[in-house]
Amino acid sequence: MTVTTEGIVLSTSESGEADLIARVLTETHGVQQLLFRGIRKSRRRSRSAAEPGMRSVFVFRMTGGGIPTVSECTPVDLHEEIRARYGRIIRMHFLLEAVLKTTGQAQPDSFLYKMLRGAIESLEKDTGSLSLPLFFVIRLLIHLGVFPAAPACSRCGASDTALSFYFEDHTLLCGGCALRKGNIRFESHEIAFLSTAARFRYAQMPPFLLSPAETAAMLEALVRFMEQSFRITLKSTKLLLSDEETG
């Protein structure tokens, strides 16, 4: 079966003398491992379309075994604004790695595709803060079903107070209901941020809900939860949190 679908390259690795193997989040067939035969030495085909973060239309043939070979690849958006700034490249690679390491092979998920596409498009205009990576992580955790979409105490329903989050059962508890210390404590204004992030698009988020220090601390804590839940390591996190470039 020949497949034609839009996709976003999540990662690439070299194979042999001239090939590339890419993990691509496709719009219609989930994450696919695709072979770009001879692209590293080709004078006719640009390697740019196979670089991480690039959005293209891919044509490949699904077979019973082996890695499908890309027969055509037409760039849709090479994200020049991102590639021109080191800080934006770091943030984009973080988004790509988060999706790659939490998403199974060949599981169609058009919502996830649209979410990643939208995040990368927003990154082209982003000011350089950690707000976008944090927003994306929150939405990704909710989509994966491991974080509550409506932040509130799991027992009494309180949502206008500080809440503690527990990794083992993915619950939030207020001070009155909690019997022990949680893994992450969210203050009331941080709960308001989580609730807003769950309901609105990134472009609709009110500014200055969290300070830069609070944004970094919440992002680091939620990444730690993601890593523990999926038994992964997001290697780009350290570089992301240490990057001080804006723009």
Side-chain angles (χ1 to χ4, degrees):
M1 179 180 68
T2 299
V3 175
T4 301
T5 181
E6 192 174 286
I8 299 170
V9 179
L10 300 177
S11 69
T12 59
S13 60
E14 295 183 352
S15 176
E17 294 184 357
D19 301 341
L20 278 178
I21 295 177
R23 298 286 297 278
V24 179
L25 176 64
T26 67
E27 186 173 18
T28 57
H29 287 71
V31 176
Q32 293 288 329
Q33 188 169 243
L34 301 178
L35 176 64
F36 291 81
R37 196 176 295 281
I39 196 171
R40 287 159 51 205
K41 292 187 176 181
S42 176
R43 294 182 178 180
R44 295 184 300 105
R45 294 185 297 165
S46 172
R47 182 171 172 172
S48 297
E51 293 295 326
M54 302 305 104
R55 181 162 61 93
S56 302
V57 174
F58 301 91
V59 179
F60 57 93
R61 185 171 180 79
M62 300 284 286
T63 60
I67 302 175
T69 299
V70 175
S71 57
E72 295 181 42
C73 181
T74 306
V76 175
D77 195 340
L78 298 180
H79 302 296
E80 300 292 347
E81 288 294 321
I82 295 177
R83 295 167 65 182
R85 297 178 181 247
Y86 179 66
R88 293 183 184 181
I89 292 174
I90 292 173
R91 295 195 291 281
M92 181 177 69
H93 277 271
F94 172 79
L95 303 180
L96 299 175
E97 186 183 12
V99 170
L100 177 63
K101 292 188 174 179
T102 58
T103 306
Q105 182 84 2
Q107 298 176 3
D109 192 336
S110 60
F111 182 85
L112 176 61
Y113 180 81
K114 291 176 183 177
M115 189 166 67
L116 179 60
R117 173 180 167 175
I120 294 175
E121 289 174 348
S122 295
L123 189 56
E124 292 186 315
K125 307 176 185 67
D126 195 49
T127 59
S129 72
L130 294 175
S131 296
L132 177 57
L134 173 59
F135 176 85
F136 185 79
V137 164
I138 294 169
R139 296 295 290 263
L140 180 60
L141 290 172
I142 292 172
H143 179 63
L144 294 170
V146 296
F147 195 81
C153 178
S154 300
R155 293 180 181 170
C156 70
S159 59
D160 57 352
T161 185
L163 298 173
S164 294
F165 183 62
Y166 295 82
F167 286 3
E168 66 272 19
D169 55 5
H170 310 161
T171 58
L172 288 162
L173 294 175
C174 67
C177 294
L179 299 178
R180 57 184 175 81
K181 184 178 179 181
N183 298 99
I184 308 174
R185 176 181 169 84
F186 296 114
E187 299 300 333
S188 56
H189 69 286
E190 293 175 320
I191 292 296
F193 176 86
L194 290 168
S195 179
T196 304
R199 292 183 292 116
F200 295 98
R201 295 175 181 268
Y202 180 71
Q204 299 172 319
M205 290 286 288
F208 313 120
L209 288 178
L210 299 178
S211 70
E214 289 172 328
T215 300
M218 184 183 291
L219 176 60
E220 187 174 14
L222 290 177
V223 166
R224 189 171 73 249
F225 166 59
M226 180 182 290
E227 290 179 328
Q228 182 172 312
S229 295
F230 292 90
R231 299 181 181 179
I232 59 174
T233 299
L234 296 182
K235 296 180 180 179
S236 56
T237 304
K238 184 176 181 181
L239 192 59
L240 175 72
L241 294 174
S242 65
D243 179 56
E244 297 181 354
E245 179 185 348
T246 58

